[in-house]
Amino acid sequence: MSPATPRPSVLFVCVHNAGRSQMAAAFLTHFAGDRVEVRSAGSTPADTVNPAVVDAMKEVGIDISAETPKVLTVEAVQTSDVVITMGCGDTCPVFPGKRYLDWRLDDPAGQGVDAVRPIRDEIERRIRGLVAELAG
């Protein structure tokens, strides 16, 4: 029996881990299932996930209401193959040998569902591309 191929690990990071990174992690989990290890974190996590983000994700059939913002740790970065930052700037630790992507996206903080939808749709588009890339 051959050893299992290691799953790629992707970490999404934004400041509060309450919007963009939560949506990205949910989409990647939805599209890739257990083929990819998915995590998200924030440099200064909020207390809860943005309710407008939860509602916007429900509209596309993904329930993230049970998710909670998590604090970014050095270990999370070290154990990830791909680190995707979403506006956390210099607070994201950088380690050699990791693949870093910086997705510049509007921050949904304080926005209603109407403002969150285009952000959600852009994240979904980028995640679909990432899934295709990781599978290849």
Side-chain angles (χ1 to χ4, degrees):
M1 205 160 150
S2 65
T5 305
R7 298 184 303 165
S9 175
V10 179
L11 172 65
F12 296 99
V13 182
C14 66
V15 176
H16 301 298
N17 190 220
R20 296 166 289 188
S21 55
Q22 291 283 352
M23 288 190 283
F27 274 125
L28 185 53
T29 299
H30 180 76
F31 294 131
D34 61 1
R35 296 175 308 201
V36 177
E37 184 181 350
V38 181
R39 289 181 293 230
S40 69
S43 50
T44 55
D47 293 329
T48 60
V49 174
N50 179 333
V53 167
V54 172
D55 291 344
M57 292 302 286
K58 274 186 188 159
E59 291 178 351
V60 295
I62 299 174
D63 183 4
I64 62 169
S65 61
E67 294 298 326
T68 55
K70 293 165 244 10
V71 70
L72 176 64
T73 64
V74 170
E75 180 187 9
V77 177
Q78 287 177 320
T79 58
S80 298
D81 299 308
V82 180
V83 179
I84 299 175
T85 58
M86 302 171 155
C88 71
D90 296 336
T91 62
C92 294
V94 175
F95 294 96
K98 304 290 172 198
R99 180 166 173 220
Y100 289 89
L101 300 172
D102 185 32
W103 290 358
R104 298 195 184 280
L105 299 157
D106 290 337
D107 188 348
Q111 304 290 322
V113 138
D114 288 343
V116 173
R117 282 186 193 110
I119 301 166
R120 174 203 64 202
D121 295 345
E122 176 60 16
I123 289 171
E124 180 181 6
R125 185 188 71 73
R126 292 180 188 204
I127 292 296
R128 287 180 182 275
L130 180 65
V131 168
E133 192 180 301
L134 291 172

